[in-house]
Amino acid sequence: MEHVTHDDLEPIYNEYSKILILGSIPSRKSREVKFYYAHPKNRFWKTLETIFEEPIMDRKSFVLNHKIALWDVIYSCDIMASSDASIKNVIPNDISKIIKETKIKKIFTTGKTAEKYYQKLIYPSLKMESICLPSTSPANCQLKEKELIEAWKIILEYLK
């Protein structure tokens, strides 16, 4: 078990952001390189490339240009490697700052763990409904790429 904090990964957003995509806590690989969804087998970036029908040259610029904000539900926790199932002693991030400084219309959580902690620790004070998207993690293999992309296309409705 390792105690991890979110100190090295700031949220990505600007005043034009319309949706907020929240993971649970960055994977070990993401913490290592200090950027979101960095594991080479994570399908997050490939999914975005597909639904927006354009290649991603610079990940940060891509999400900002498409009015997407990225962060995580969890500020700190105890975790074994990158296993969401092992998460304990959770302290949430303060999402309210992003909501106040942006045009966020909808919050999306990536996977059941992010959704669980969002509902338990953030929703009671923030009172913004979220939509749970399937996880893009390599640990979530039950969804085929085509099904994953179809499920994620819902974000486009909130970016108009």
Side-chain angles (χ1 to χ4, degrees), residues 14-117:
N14 62 26
E15 67 271 23
Y16 306 110
S17 299
K18 289 185 176 182
I19 68 168
L20 172 58
I21 298 176
L22 295 170
S24 53
I25 188 91
S27 68
R28 178 178 274 168
K29 184 66 176 172
S30 292
R31 294 190 306 264
E32 213 174 84
V33 301
K34 297 176 179 40
F35 204 77
Y36 297 94
Y37 306 101
H39 191 287
K41 291 188 178 173
N42 191 299
R43 300 180 287 176
F44 181 83
W45 297 107
K46 186 172 182 170
T47 298
L48 290 184
E49 274 187 332
T50 304
I51 65 174
F52 285 100
E53 299 177 350
E54 68 182 84
I56 297 174
M57 300 304 172
D58 176 85
R59 291 173 173 181
K60 185 175 180 179
S61 296
F62 183 90
V63 292
L64 292 176
N65 289 340
H66 287 286
K67 299 176 175 66
I68 298 170
L70 293 180
W71 210 16
D72 288 297
V73 172
I74 299 171
Y75 166 71
S76 72
C77 67
D78 297 326
I79 188 170
M80 199 171 298
S82 297
S83 169
D84 278 0
S86 72
I87 293 175
K88 291 182 178 24
N89 304 317
V90 173
I91 296 173
N93 272 315
D94 181 6
I95 306 296
S96 64
K97 179 181 183 222
I98 294 177
I99 303 304
K100 288 176 194 153
E101 296 177 3
T102 64
K103 297 173 177 14
I104 299 293
K105 294 194 277 189
K106 196 62 169 174
I107 293 174
F108 294 90
T109 55
T110 59
K112 290 179 175 53
T113 303
E115 179 69 7
K116 174 177 100 174
Y117 287 111

